[in-house]
């Protein structure tokens, strides 16, 4: 398995992409509805319209604990940007959704960076598995951006986001939803390749 993430032009943000055989609205629901978010990431409580929610990550083993997330941007079926002060220095994350068919500027920018997931097409448009027989079937480009990721954390953060994005794709498309049973063999092995991005 090859890494699908890359550092953007200034080397500060880690970006991973997937092209998913699903409409933007369905993927958006899996980002913003607690019951659907729970199928691949975790749950949240609170009212998002206040700009803050408590998120509990449930996909990984260990004691569940809630962290406050601040919502900076919430543009339905287009862009979600959040940050949390928990963890090492806090994280700021963005997920952008764009239509992948009829490649626009966003797709062209990622075309050479590579993307992979079960049931998804890669960034150049080649299918890992058979694509839609109907060319009008929606394909959504999911772009996750981890802003200002610390250099020393890339070897751990990169594989983690690969795992979570593959889980999202699996849930949305009805494909494989990787669990912790493949974490060491499939994802931890990507650490050195992610660390090499900073060389």
């Amino acid at each position: 398995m090859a890494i699908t993430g890359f550092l953007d032009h200034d080397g500060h943000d880690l970006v991973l992409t997937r092209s998913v055989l699903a409409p933007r609205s369905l993927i958006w629901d899996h980002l913003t509805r607690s019951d659907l978010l729970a199928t691949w990431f975790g749950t949240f409580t609170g009212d998002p319209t206040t700009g803050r929610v408590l998120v509990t990550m449930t996909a990984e083993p260990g004691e569940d604990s809630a962290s406050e997330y601040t919502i900076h941007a919430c543009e339905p079926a287009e862009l979600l940007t959040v940050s949390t002060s928990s963890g090492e220095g806090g994280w700021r994350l963005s997920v952008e959704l764009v239509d992948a068919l009829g490649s626009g500027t966003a797709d062209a920018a990622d075309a050479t960076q590579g993307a992979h997931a079960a049931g998804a097409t890669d960034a150049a448009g080649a299918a890992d598995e058979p694509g839609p027989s109907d060319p009008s079937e929606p394909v959504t480009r999911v772009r996750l951006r981890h802003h200002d990721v610390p250099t020393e954390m890339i070897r751990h953060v990169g594989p983690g986001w690969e795992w979570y994005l593959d889980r999202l794709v699996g849930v949305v498309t009805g494909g494989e939803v990787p669990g912790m049973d493949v974490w060491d063999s499939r994802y931890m092995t990507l650490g050195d390749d992610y660390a090499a991005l900073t060389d």
Side-chain angles (χ1 to χ4, degrees):
M1 179 174 174
I3 67 171
T4 69
F6 60 93
L7 291 176
D8 68 0
H9 64 280
D10 64 6
H12 293 156
D13 295 353
L14 180 64
V15 181
L16 297 91
T17 61
R18 297 289 188 276
S19 292
V20 188
L21 303 179
R24 285 188 292 158
S25 58
L26 179 60
I27 298 170
W28 182 257
D29 285 346
H30 281 77
L31 296 173
T32 60
R33 282 180 44 184
S34 184
D35 60 328
L36 296 179
L37 185 70
T39 61
W40 67 277
F41 186 81
T43 61
F44 70 82
T45 57
D47 181 359
T49 64
T50 66
R52 286 183 170 78
V53 292
L54 289 176
V55 175
T56 302
M57 298 173 67
T58 58
E60 300 177 43
E63 183 177 345
D64 297 341
S65 60
S67 300
E68 184 177 79
Y69 277 61
T70 300
I71 302 167
H72 301 281
C74 184
E75 302 171 20
E78 293 184 3
L79 176 67
L80 179 65
T81 301
V82 299
S83 66
T84 177
S85 58
S86 66
E88 297 182 24
W91 288 6
R92 186 178 180 98
L93 309 166
S94 293
V95 180
E96 182 182 7
L97 307 178
V98 296
D99 293 328
L101 289 183
S103 296
T105 303
D107 283 346
D110 284 344
T112 60
Q113 301 297 340
H116 168 79
T121 59
D122 67 21
D128 294 321
E129 293 184 2
S133 56
D134 181 354
S136 67
E137 185 172 341
V139 178
T140 299
R141 174 65 49 78
V142 178
R143 182 185 295 109
L144 183 144
R145 180 179 295 269
H146 188 137
H147 299 267
D148 296 315
V149 60
T151 301
E152 67 276 10
M153 290 181 62
I154 288 179
R155 73 163 46 250
H156 305 291
V157 170
W161 286 127
E162 297 276 12
W163 185 72
Y164 275 114
L165 284 176
D166 284 354
R167 288 175 59 80
L168 172 61
V169 172
V171 165
V172 169
T173 64
E176 179 196 9
V177 181
M180 291 305 300
D181 57 318
V182 296
W183 170 251
D184 287 337
S185 61
R186 191 184 302 175
Y187 294 92
M188 280 295 289
T189 57
L190 304 177
D192 287 346
D193 288 337
Y194 267 101
L197 293 179
T198 63
D199 293 343

